[in-house]
Amino acid sequence: MIATGTGEDARLTLRTPASVDIFTRILTHGPIGRIDVGRQTGLSQAAVTKTVAPLLLDGIVAVDRPLAGTVPAGAAPGRPVHPLRVVPSARLVLGVKVNPDEVIGVATGMTAGILHVVRRPLASTSPAAVIGAVASVAEELGLLLGDRASRLIGLGVAVSGDVDTATGIVRDSPLLGWRGVPLAHPLAARLGVPVRVDNDVRALTIAEHWFGVGRDSGSFAVVTIGSGIGCGLYLNDDVVSGAHGVAGELGHLPLASLDAVCVCGRRGCVEAVASSGAVLRAVRAATDAPLLTLAEAAGLAREGVPGAVAAFDRAGTAIGAALAIVANLTGPDTVLVAGEGMQEFELYERTIRTTFAAHAFGAAADCVLVTRAHTFEDWARGAAASLIRAAVRQEF
């Protein structure tokens, strides 16, 4: 159990659709003036002022007042501009990323800035072991927050695979070996706070939409390279969830050789040749070095060892073709390629970009590919962002 006070005080209460829209705009684009909030939400300045008043009274929104003698950049002469901003510390959130060998947790404020980090090794991926580890990490984060834990609004949990966010059930996670595992309910019962379980890549996409590269983007995709190959999509003003909670499963497009067996049990998946584990297995087999680490495999590729180079080239070809499919089907203006596998990105970047250019159709090739390394703390921050968005949208 996390000591959170009454729980009533911490709940984020936005009573009308207008207040949700206004608070979302302030949260994701603040500091921002009332006129700009009205312009961007389509609401009158009077409606904005009326809606903001209780948020100011509650302390979750504040007015940025310029120092004496200063004028905010871009402000017009005349009446001073006092932009609005969300107070990050007014409400706090926990986010946890579940890996097959480790649980990583973070405590954040309302703008998803990381305050504390806790990591726990996993000896087993059994549901009981994972639930126990996630709860332990959340409880330790609560202790680190101390009295601030009374401001907690909930816990977000990010898991790879097919996740039903409405029920909190992990329907299928090949990396964890799970099918039909309830996760949200037992955690909420043990911890005493609302729990939201989401697919890890979708949660990361939510974080990028509200607080990162996609904040001002009309459409974008997040492609992750690591122990799996994932894809999150932001289209038509929202992160795509799919009719059945499955969308953007880039890693399971059948673009590789049918000789390649995927962890999901199927053949020819992108993930079967492009995940970190698949690349490592291919280099080990090609060099007859069964104890080789991924860093050592990357070193061999940098030295030009043919089998190692070929393994990374196969991965780059599959990923590049998959990116082209994403661009051709959805037409994003930006694709963020991220993940822990980015540490070896230069080994297959040329192949990825060449293959993408060869298969992207027409203007889809104008899509900008942005690369960035992500840590597992970033994945946990994504889980927190998913919970933040759900709280703002009054989904629990």
Side-chain angles (χ1 to χ4, degrees), residues 199-202 205 220-225 228-234 239-240 246-251 253 322-323 326 330 335-336 379:
N199 168 268
D200 53 1
V201 183
R202 187 166 56 228
T205 306
F220 72 94
V222 175
V223 174
T224 57
I225 301 174
I229 306 295
C231 178
L233 299 168
Y234 173 76
V239 175
V240 176
V246 179
E249 285 294 343
L250 194 75
L253 291 177
L323 291 180
V326 170
T330 65
V335 173
L336 171 64
W379 290 97

Side-chain angles (χ1 to χ4, degrees), residues 192-396:
V193 297
V195 175
R196 181 177 180 85
V197 182
D198 209 340
N199 168 268
D200 53 1
V201 183
R202 187 166 56 228
L204 187 63
T205 306
I206 290 169
E208 291 295 337
H209 170 214
W210 274 26
F211 308 112
V213 70
R215 195 177 70 150
D216 294 307
S217 176
S219 60
F220 72 94
V222 175
V223 174
T224 57
I225 301 174
S227 56
I229 306 295
C231 178
L233 299 168
Y234 173 76
L235 304 168
N236 299 325
D237 300 323
D238 206 353
V239 175
V240 176
S241 295
H244 305 289
V246 179
E249 285 294 343
L250 194 75
H252 299 289
L253 291 177
L255 299 177
S257 166
L258 292 179
D259 294 336
V261 180
C262 184
V263 67
C264 73
R266 298 171 180 85
R267 291 179 176 271
C269 295
V270 170
E271 199 166 292
V273 297
S275 69
S276 299
V279 171
L280 178 57
R281 287 190 295 273
V283 177
R284 284 174 172 174
T287 58
D288 194 25
L291 299 181
L292 204 67
T293 66
L294 184 59
E296 291 167 340
L300 293 179
R302 293 184 181 102
E303 292 169 9
V305 174
V309 172
F312 281 97
D313 279 349
R314 278 193 299 273
T317 298
I319 294 169
L323 291 180
I325 289 174
V326 170
N328 291 343
L329 285 176
T330 65
D333 55 44
T334 305
V335 173
L336 171 64
V337 185
E340 64 274 17
M342 296 300 292
Q343 295 169 348
E344 293 80 38
F345 187 69
E346 88 281 1
L347 294 172
Y348 38 59
E349 179 176 13
R350 178 186 57 80
T351 308
I352 287 176
R353 292 187 181 275
T354 299
T355 307
F356 173 80
H359 293 287
F361 178 76
D366 295 334
C367 166
V368 177
L369 300 184
V370 178
T371 61
R372 183 193 306 163
H374 270 175
T375 66
F376 285 121
E377 284 84 358
D378 292 312
W379 290 97
R381 177 177 178 265
S386 176
L387 189 284
I388 291 168
R389 191 182 73 155
V392 171
R393 294 183 172 186
Q394 304 294 280
E395 293 176 356
F396 62 82

